[in-house]
Amino acid sequence: MNFPGFLDLFQGLRTLVDSSPLILIARIGFMLLGMLLVYLGKKGVLEPLLMIPMGLGMSAVNAGVLVLSTGKHGTLFVDPLVTDHSQLLELLQIDALQPVYNLLFSNGLIACFVFMGIGVLLDVGYVLARPLLSMFLAICAELGTIATFPIAVALGLNYHDAAAIAMVGCADGPMVLYTSLMLSRDLFVPIGVVAYLYLGLTYGGYPYLIKFLVPEKLRALPVVEKRALVVMPSEKLAFAVVGCTVLCLLFPVAAPLFFSLFLGVAVREAGLHYFVEFIGGPLLYGSTLFLGLTLGVLCEASTILDPKVITLLVLGILALLLSGIGGIAGGYIVYLVSGRKFNPAIGIAGVSCVPTTAKVAQKAVSEVAPNVVVLPVALGACISGVITSAIIAGIYVTLVPLLK
């Protein structure tokens, strides 16, 4: 009788020892990175609602690699590359998170659920109070989503992959997930992971970008309001209905995103409190939990180590950097047009990471002028950024398949 050895008992260690040096280093690195994400989430450096489940999932999936019946190494979490539909029943029985992946991720439904929750939390009155200013700053902050596309193509990516990674510049995770699923399904996993890992940079890195580009004197400029505009709930509801209809008419391929976002807005402004509580509570937080968990377990070393990943990492940072610069440049343009009476730091809020970039702008201003409040104007730009990002996604998903 052959008794199992030590490594046969602890298969995670066995697969670690049997792995190639690259996979071994990557697995250990991802386990440590997952722990770091949990720590940074707990400390509030990164978004805890997303980073704690994502980090724990990342550590667990890279630790829990075993020898499957075929002799290959794998996990019992998710196989994002399944192409044989005859395996579906078996996968639903074995892989713990596979049903969640199939239901919510493979078709982009998770992005729609999160967008619906975001819509419930948004007060579009900030946009309607200053529509031209808000939309202008948001358009300027799309610099990364636009400029990164030709750069990615020049680095060797095809049009589909280039458009998907360029969307990281909008700093809107659900938008990136949706676009990558529509255009670049093969790279959906690394692009999604890159997007959500880098969202923390908007909170940790953008303050330094503001300090570098906007001197303290300009950061201390107050917001000059001639007259406070009061926007009624009926006007916000009308905006949601008309905006949703027009955008769905112009960009049908992104209609699920527009519908989900504006449904949340409409439910909020119509006073449907039971729906508001459900969408803004269990649906949004449940979707965020499974989003973080599933993205974390998708970070299994053998899945994420695609040769293109290094390029994607560089392009993701570049896209976010360009978007931040574009937003601040838009703030400087408004500053000059207004007769030097506008705070340029507000421009960073045009990057649509709601409400993070608006809070970043307010924090940067408060550090030099504690009594200056720019948050309402910043929120208008930030919410407009969600809309402009969805429009850019619609343009990419519509036009890129037509390019040869």
Side-chain angles (χ1 to χ4, degrees), residues 14 72 188 199 235 250 308 316 378 381:
R14 176 184 170 183
K72 296 182 178 180
F188 154 67
L199 288 188
E235 295 173 315
L250 294 176
K308 294 182 179 179

Side-chain angles (χ1 to χ4, degrees), residues 33-383:
L33 177 59
M35 297 175 188
L36 178 62
L37 292 180
V38 173
Y39 173 77
L40 294 177
K42 176 64 172 65
K43 288 293 185 179
V45 177
L46 301 179
E47 174 53 56
L49 292 177
L50 185 65
M51 289 303 164
I52 289 177
M54 182 176 176
L56 187 59
M58 187 183 298
S59 294
V61 75
N62 284 283
V65 179
L66 73 165
V67 181
L68 301 177
S69 58
T70 59
K72 296 182 178 180
H73 293 181
T75 74
L76 298 183
F77 286 91
V78 170
D79 179 2
L81 304 177
V82 173
T83 55
D84 184 359
H85 296 289
S86 65
Q87 301 177 31
L88 183 59
L89 181 59
E90 180 182 355
L91 287 169
L92 288 175
Q93 293 174 340
I94 295 177
D95 293 317
L97 290 176
Q98 193 72 41
V100 176
Y101 180 86
N102 292 340
L103 176 64
L104 297 177
F105 281 78
S106 61
N107 54 12
L109 186 59
I110 188 76
C112 295
F113 281 170
V114 174
F115 245 48
M116 200 180 300
I118 291 174
V120 163
L121 301 179
L122 295 184
D123 185 350
V124 295
Y126 292 115
V127 178
L128 297 178
R130 310 166 189 83
L132 295 179
L133 171 63
S134 299
M135 291 303 293
F136 175 76
L137 294 176
I139 291 171
C140 291
E142 296 295 341
L143 178 62
T145 60
I146 297 171
T148 304
F149 176 75
I151 297 174
V153 172
L155 291 178
L157 271 64
N158 61 43
Y159 293 141
H160 290 70
D161 297 342
I165 191 62
M167 285 304 300
V168 173
C170 72
D172 195 320
M175 202 82 68
V176 178
L177 289 178
Y178 186 85
T179 308
S180 59
L181 281 168
M182 296 289 288
L183 294 178
S184 184
R185 186 173 290 270
D186 291 342
L187 290 179
F188 154 67
V189 174
I191 289 176
V193 171
V194 166
Y196 276 92
L197 285 178
Y198 282 176
L199 288 188
L201 295 178
T202 62
Y203 194 80
Y206 275 2
Y208 295 99
L209 184 63
I210 294 175
K211 292 178 182 178
F212 180 71
L213 295 178
V214 184
E216 290 188 4
K217 179 181 178 180
L218 299 186
R219 273 185 277 151
L221 287 176
V223 174
V224 179
E225 290 284 3
K226 294 182 179 179
R227 181 175 61 89
L229 179 62
V230 178
V231 183
M232 303 301 294
S234 58
E235 295 173 315
K236 300 176 187 177
L237 180 60
F239 170 76
V241 173
V242 174
C244 178
T245 304
V246 171
L247 290 173
C248 288
L249 180 65
L250 294 176
F251 306 103
V253 290
L257 287 179
F258 292 125
F259 167 73
S260 300
L261 177 68
F262 286 110
L263 175 62
V265 175
V267 164
R268 170 192 172 109
E269 301 307 333
L272 305 179
H273 300 295
Y274 291 112
F275 286 169
V276 170
E277 291 176 2
F278 169 71
I279 296 174
L283 184 64
L284 177 59
Y285 290 113
S287 299
T288 303
L289 172 64
F290 283 113
L291 177 61
L293 281 175
T294 308
L295 283 175
V297 302
L298 287 174
C299 291
E300 199 268 317
S302 60
T303 301
I304 207 71
L305 284 180
D306 187 289
K308 294 182 179 179
V309 170
I310 299 299
T311 303
L312 297 178
L313 290 170
V314 174
L315 288 171
I317 288 183
L318 178 64
L320 283 173
L321 176 63
L322 291 176
S323 289
I325 293 173
I328 293 176
Y332 270 111
I333 293 173
V334 177
Y335 165 75
L336 294 174
V337 172
S338 65
R340 304 179 185 273
K341 298 178 180 179
F342 184 80
N343 193 320
I346 299 174
I348 199 78
V351 182
S352 66
C353 189
V354 180
T356 299
T357 49
K359 292 163 64 176
V360 165
Q362 178 61 65
K363 183 179 179 181
V365 171
S366 297
E367 288 178 353
V368 296
N371 296 325
V372 174
V373 178
V374 300
L375 190 60
V377 181
L379 281 171
C382 199
I383 295 170

